[in-house]
């Protein structure tokens, strides 16, 4: 029986024991920076109970708990003393305004450094463009040192402290963070903390047989344990390797012990899952995180959060330990880099997605459900699943925010809840099959040109790759149809973006989409990419096309300027800040309606997903006590007391 302890009391005792040792160890830094020490120790005292509680929950069974706890505090203090003054200033500002990310001024963008602008200097030269677009948040896709050939778009990190050489240097990244901040843009990067590449120094040491580093990963001498684990595991990248383990060639370190051996690799064979049951792994990763925060990174995207904690006999996804672990990391940030905001990347069942969202865990989170259901509504021309999700699953802790997006660098997974679908009479797996057929362009009448991703014949699972424009019909319209269809495709693109810009939370643009970038099939001839269809929507920016954005007579201009209007609308009305949203039941399957209300007023949004005009009885307005004063956006007109006719694929906003 584990005997229960009074956490509060034990936390105080531990703090009282550790604090003098820490002060002693830091004496030189303290004399050099007494004010810094004062700030640090104040925050340490404030947040130690939460750090202790989570750390203890994870590692209480370790005989060497106290050693690791102390080691962690030393790391925190070291990182704090290295934290530049301007970032310490930001720390204070964020503590005073923790809800900064809920502002209607917020607009996110995400891109690959090399594909968008070759390297970090190139990104710097695009700052005027980011400002023109209205960005206040820029996520640069993983830019750390990674294996030369296949590296999963940088998600196989070989060093968290070095920029991938072709892209630039860490000094350049830190300088860029400062330049961006000056331009009102927060830098966002990934903390790829579930795994490292097999070329990371930790992996190299494990390969060479160093026991300390073998314990950094989940390495087994034979198939016995992997087989037992796999009874309950999902296959994430079945195209690449079955199951979740990769054999280690005999002759490498752990292999020498075992004549082979197996390493846990949830994703690709060259991405080795870290072993967070080992507190040393937590401590080293906390150091990497604080290092990045000290370069000026303001938001870290916690990659693949669902997978970080593993327990035998479970699916090893979304376990309570994953939450404890993130909360412990969050406490680390609150102590040593309080400006840092956490963003969750959990592309899982909606019940699980929300569990990562809390002020003490991830303050912001991707909203994969909204994304998937936007595409669902576009294909079916029906809004019931979308409307239901917005009514029942959109509300989150008022101190947090969704990151709403239409496309990102990944595939579209149909992560809606089967239970929700069943309530509406929809069979989840049949419907997913339909959606995959539709977006692959195989369903009769489909406007989409997408590709399957990780189709698993064993389970029937499949996801979809493709750019926003190609999935919304622009590629087919341009190649096979004509101006009418082109116009419809552009309306679809704008309507989807209209929703993410007005529904609440941070809208995130996948850069390239703002000028209607189409699929690029050249990845099929690149040996490092051809097996991964996500590269079809990871397109090199064509700056000649970008220059056309100012010309309304071009496709680029129509998409870009249409989007600009929506962005201006968002930024002009503070009603669009925060996250409160009320769904209007429209009595029309094709039209989504919602109201945004706050102390600054109200905005009413109607979206017609059908290619035909739709009629809304005036009764709806009475039922929801909607009084319309002014049209803010859209092609449809409203006359009080009359039925409201909403134009095909229109995105209309009133107040
Ligand atoms: C995340 C990334 C994805 C990557 C995976 C493994 O889900 O978004 O691109 O393949 O993690 O790191
Ligand atoms: C899986 C993972 C998600 C990742 C994606 C990459 O769906 O759950 O984290 O982004 O694969 O395609």
């Amino acid at each position: 029986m584990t005997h229960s302890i009074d956490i509060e009391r034990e936390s105080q005792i531990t703090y009282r024991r550790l604090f003098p040792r820490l002060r002693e160890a830091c004496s030189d830094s303290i004399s050099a920076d007494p004010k810094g020490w004062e700030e640090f120790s104040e925050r340490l005292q404030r947040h130690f109970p939460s750090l202790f509680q989570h750390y203890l929950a994870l590692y209480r069974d370790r005989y060497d708990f106290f050693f690791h706890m102390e080691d962690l505090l030393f790391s925190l203090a070291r990182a704090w003393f290295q934290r530049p003054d301007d970032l310490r200033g930001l720390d204070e500002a964020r503590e005073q305004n923790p809800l900064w990310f809920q502002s209607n001024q917020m607009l996110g963008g995400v891109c690959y450094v090399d594909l968008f602008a070759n390297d970090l200097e190139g990104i710097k030269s695009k700052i005027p463009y980011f400002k023109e677009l209205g960005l206040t948040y820029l996520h640069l896709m993983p830019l750390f040192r990674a294996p030369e050939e296949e590296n999963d778009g940088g998600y196989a990190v070989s060093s968290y402290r070095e920029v991938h050489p072709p892209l630039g240097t860490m000094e350049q990244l830190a300088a860029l963070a400062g330049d961006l901040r000056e331009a009102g843009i927060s830098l966002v990067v990934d903390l790829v903390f579930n795994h490292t590449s097999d070329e990371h120094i930790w992996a190299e040491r494990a390969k060479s047989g160093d026991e300390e580093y073998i314990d950094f990963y989940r390495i087994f001498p034979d198939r016995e344990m992997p087989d037992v684990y796999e009874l309950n595991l999902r296959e994430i990248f079945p195209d690449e390797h079955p199951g979740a383990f990769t054999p280690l060639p005999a002759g490498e370190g752990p292999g020498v012990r075992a004549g082979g051996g197996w390493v846990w690799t949830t994703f690709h064979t060259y991405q080795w899952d870290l072993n967070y049951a080992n507190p040393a792994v937590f401590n080293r990763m906390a150091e990497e995180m604080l290092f990045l925060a000290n370069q000026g990174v303001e938001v870290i995207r916690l990659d693949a959060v669902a997978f970080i904690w593993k327990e035998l006999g479970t699916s090893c996804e979304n376990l309570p330990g994953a939450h404890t672990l993130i909360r412990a990391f969050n406490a680390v940030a609150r102590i040593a880099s309080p400006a840092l905001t956490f963003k969750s990347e959990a592309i899982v069942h909606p019940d699980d997605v929300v569990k990562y969202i809390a002020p003490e865990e991830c303050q912001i989170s991707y909203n994969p459900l909204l994304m998937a259901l936007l595409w669902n509504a576009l294909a079916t021309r029906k809004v019931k699943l979308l409307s239901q999700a917005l009514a029942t699953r959109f509300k989150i802790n008022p101190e947090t925010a969704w990151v709403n997006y239409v496309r990102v660098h990944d595939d579209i997974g149909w992560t809606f809840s089967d239970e929700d679908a069943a309530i509406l009479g929809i069979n989840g797996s049949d419907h997913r099959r339909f959606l995959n057929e539709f977006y692959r362009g195989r369903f009769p009448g489909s406007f989409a040109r997408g590709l399957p991703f990780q189709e698993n014949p064993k389970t029937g699972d499949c996801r979809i790759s493709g750019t926003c424009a190609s999935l919304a019909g622009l590629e087919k319209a341009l190649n096979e149809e004509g101006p009418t269809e082109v116009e419809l495709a552009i309306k679809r693109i704008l309507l989807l973006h209209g929703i993410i810009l007005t529904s609440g939370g941070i809208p995130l643009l996948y850069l390239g989409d703002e000028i209607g970038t189409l699929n690029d099939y050249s990845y099929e001839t690149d040996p490092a990419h051809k097996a991964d269809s996500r590269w079809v929507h990871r397109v090199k920016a064509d700056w000649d096309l970008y220059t056309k954005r100012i010309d309304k007579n071009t496709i680029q201009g129509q998409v870009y300027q249409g989007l600009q209007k929506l962005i201006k609308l968002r930024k002009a009305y503070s009603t669009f800040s925060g996250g409160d949203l009320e769904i209007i039941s429209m009595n029309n399957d094709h039209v989504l309606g919602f109201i945004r209300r706050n102390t600054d007023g109200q905005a009413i949004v109607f979206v017609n997903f059908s290619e035909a005009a739709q009629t809304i009885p005036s009764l709806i307005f009475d039922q929801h006590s909607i009084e319309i004063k002014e049209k803010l956006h859209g092609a449809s007109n409203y006359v009080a007391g009359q039925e409201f006719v909403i134009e095909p694929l229109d995105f209309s906003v009133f107040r």
Side-chain angles (χ1 to χ4, degrees):
M1 204 183 99
T2 31
H3 78 164
S4 67
I5 58 168
D6 177 346
I7 298 273
E8 191 87 354
R9 185 171 162 271
E10 294 304 320
S11 146
Q12 282 170 17
I13 294 173
T14 306
Y15 179 79
R16 281 201 300 269
R17 285 176 179 158
L18 280 173
F19 189 73
R21 295 162 65 98
L22 182 64
R23 195 173 42 205
E24 173 71 36
C26 294
S27 57
D28 288 352
S29 308
I30 296 174
S31 344
D33 181 7
K35 184 167 169 283
W37 173 248
E38 205 181 297
E39 286 171 30
F40 177 79
S41 32
E42 187 275 317
R43 288 197 182 102
L44 178 62
Q45 189 172 16
R46 192 151 31 109
H47 298 289
F48 185 77
S50 128
L51 178 61
F52 177 79
Q53 180 195 341
H54 300 307
Y55 204 73
L56 185 71
L58 294 167
Y59 304 121
R60 64 186 304 155
D61 293 339
R62 296 280 307 212
Y63 76 92
D64 53 357
F65 173 84
F66 192 81
F67 167 82
H68 291 288
M69 182 86 258
E70 179 177 70
D71 175 60
L72 179 61
L73 295 195
F74 288 176
S75 300
L76 301 194
R78 257 196 313 273
W80 174 258
F81 281 119
Q82 282 161 10
R83 192 154 172 83
D85 279 341
D86 58 335
L87 295 175
R88 290 184 184 182
L90 187 69
D91 290 331
E92 252 174 65
R94 294 289 195 243
E95 280 181 334
Q96 272 156 30
N97 179 21
L99 302 187
W100 62 280
F101 51 74
Q102 293 191 342
S103 160
N104 63 309
Q105 301 307 311
M106 286 295 292
L107 175 65
V110 50
C111 65
Y112 287 90
V113 173
D114 54 345
L115 296 179
F116 198 72
N118 296 322
D119 55 19
L120 289 175
E121 279 306 306
I123 293 288
K124 181 178 169 185
S125 74
K126 299 296 179 208
I127 290 178
Y129 173 69
F130 299 141
K131 284 172 75 172
E132 172 196 313
L133 187 56
L135 297 191
T136 61
Y137 154 133
L138 179 68
H139 174 199
L140 296 178
M141 294 296 293
L143 39 74
F144 305 102
R145 184 185 279 280
E148 277 310 318
E149 298 295 322
E150 286 177 62
N151 56 34
D152 193 20
Y155 281 100
V157 175
S158 303
S159 163
Y160 299 89
R161 299 191 182 217
E162 284 168 88
V163 168
H164 198 48
L167 305 179
T169 63
M170 197 45 88
E171 291 66 39
Q172 284 176 327
L173 184 68
L176 176 67
D179 294 338
L180 287 169
R181 193 166 326 110
E182 208 144 282
I185 302 171
S186 298
L187 176 63
V188 185
V189 302
D190 283 80
L191 185 69
V192 187
F193 72 144
N194 176 68
H195 43 264
T196 71
S197 90
D198 60 355
E199 294 180 7
H200 192 284
I201 181 78
W202 303 336
E204 295 292 357
R205 288 185 180 151
K207 284 187 209 165
S208 74
D210 185 333
E211 294 288 342
E212 197 181 325
Y213 288 93
I214 290 174
D215 283 346
F216 268 46
Y217 298 94
R218 292 189 167 259
I219 292 174
F220 303 92
D222 52 41
R223 280 296 309 180
E224 188 186 333
M225 293 310 290
D227 284 341
V228 186
Y229 274 112
E230 275 180 359
L231 293 174
N232 302 294
L233 299 182
R234 200 159 63 98
E235 293 184 323
I236 304 303
F237 284 169
D239 281 2
E240 204 249 4
H241 67 103
F245 297 85
T246 298
L248 290 167
E252 296 201 26
V256 174
R257 281 192 315 172
W262 293 79
V263 57
W264 197 310
T265 56
T266 299
F267 296 92
H268 293 96
T269 53
Y270 52 84
Q271 287 163 308
W272 288 17
D273 286 47
L274 286 161
N275 174 23
Y276 280 98
N278 176 1
V281 172
F282 181 93
N283 291 7
R284 296 296 78 78
M285 195 52 85
E287 290 172 352
E288 303 312 84
M289 176 179 87
L290 294 176
F291 173 83
L292 292 176
N294 283 353
Q295 308 311 304
V297 170
E298 295 186 31
V299 179
I300 51 167
R301 171 191 184 274
L302 293 178
D303 180 57
V305 287
F307 302 92
I308 53 175
W309 193 259
K310 282 126 173 136
E311 270 166 41
L312 198 63
T314 73
S315 68
C316 298
E317 285 187 49
N318 307 302
L319 296 182
H323 298 286
T324 311
L325 194 65
I326 301 170
R327 284 174 186 237
F329 276 117
N330 192 61
V332 163
R334 301 290 67 85
I335 294 166
S337 61
L340 198 62
T341 297
F342 283 16
K343 166 165 132 176
S344 155
E345 191 248 352
I347 313 301
V348 288
H349 190 284
D351 289 347
D352 292 315
V353 173
V354 292
K355 292 184 189 148
Y356 295 91
I357 310 172
E360 311 70 41
E361 198 166 329
C362 294
Q363 297 79 26
I364 63 178
S365 163
Y366 280 106
N367 190 347
L369 181 63
L370 177 63
M371 182 278 292
L373 293 181
L374 288 175
W375 289 105
N376 173 66
L378 211 58
T380 58
R381 282 81 163 175
K382 294 211 173 99
V383 300
K384 53 185 180 174
L385 271 171
L386 178 59
S387 203
Q388 177 201 48
L390 286 171
T392 62
R393 293 187 180 272
F394 196 68
K395 199 177 168 68
I396 47 177
N397 183 308
E399 291 171 32
T400 64
W402 286 117
V403 175
N404 294 317
Y405 61 108
V406 172
R407 289 295 293 117
V408 280
H409 68 289
D410 275 332
D411 48 291
I412 302 176
W414 307 109
T415 58
F416 59 82
S417 139
D418 281 2
E419 300 75 31
D420 289 2
I423 294 174
L424 300 173
I426 298 168
N427 175 302
S429 54
D430 291 352
H431 193 59
R432 285 191 187 86
R433 203 162 310 129
F434 156 75
L435 289 167
N436 285 320
E437 288 298 295
F438 187 92
Y439 281 107
R440 292 169 81 162
R442 299 205 300 207
F443 191 82
S446 164
F447 49 73
R449 287 291 175 263
L451 294 177
F453 178 66
Q454 302 292 335
E455 194 172 15
N456 190 340
K458 277 188 277 182
T459 58
D461 284 348
C462 182
R463 284 116 77 181
I464 291 293
S465 294
T467 67
C468 172
S470 287
L471 295 175
L474 191 59
E475 184 177 329
K476 182 181 182 204
L478 287 169
N479 294 343
E480 302 164 37
E481 296 166 326
T484 319
E485 291 298 326
V486 169
E487 202 183 313
L488 294 179
I490 293 175
K491 284 191 174 152
R492 290 190 196 101
I493 296 170
L494 293 176
L495 153 173
L496 296 179
H497 283 94
I499 295 174
I500 64 157
L501 283 156
T502 56
S503 54
I506 305 173
L508 175 65
L509 306 177
Y510 184 51
L511 297 183
D513 285 348
E514 77 278 24
I515 56 159
T517 300
L518 300 179
N519 284 349
D520 177 355
Y521 298 92
S522 64
Y523 81 97
E524 288 169 349
T525 56
D526 178 340
H529 295 159
K530 65 174 188 236
D532 186 338
S533 70
R534 291 176 299 174
W535 288 95
V536 82
H537 56 250
R538 298 171 178 176
V539 182
K540 188 152 179 60
D542 178 340
W543 286 94
D544 289 337
L545 289 183
Y546 265 95
T547 55
K548 297 193 183 170
R549 70 185 185 277
I550 50 173
D551 180 353
K552 237 183 27 234
N553 299 317
T554 63
I555 306 272
Q556 291 73 25
Q558 282 163 28
V559 175
Y560 187 81
Q561 293 179 28
L563 199 61
Q564 272 299 319
K565 272 198 204 154
L566 291 164
I567 293 169
K568 296 223 162 80
L569 170 73
R570 168 182 173 79
K571 295 204 177 199
Y573 295 97
S574 52
T575 328
F576 293 119
S577 61
D580 279 341
L581 172 148
E582 183 192 324
I583 278 289
I584 309 174
S585 34
M586 298 295 289
N587 281 358
N588 182 314
D589 284 352
H590 309 291
V591 182
L592 176 74
F594 59 86
I595 309 178
R596 300 293 317 280
R597 280 200 185 101
N598 62 21
T599 45
D600 295 338
Q602 63 170 16
I604 307 117
V605 178
F606 299 108
V607 196
N608 181 2
F609 277 86
S610 136
E611 287 88 351
Q614 299 296 322
T615 306
I616 309 300
S618 62
L619 184 83
I620 299 294
F621 294 82
D622 303 338
Q623 278 169 350
H624 288 267
S625 323
I626 299 173
E627 243 186 88
I628 286 182
K629 289 190 243 122
E630 190 190 347
K631 172 160 115 175
L632 299 180
H633 189 273
S636 315
N637 291 312
Y638 171 83
V639 184
Q642 292 183 13
E643 57 181 24
F644 171 53
V645 178
I646 177 161
E647 300 296 324
L649 296 173
D650 195 33
F651 181 81
S652 39
V653 184
F654 300 91
R655 69 162 175 171

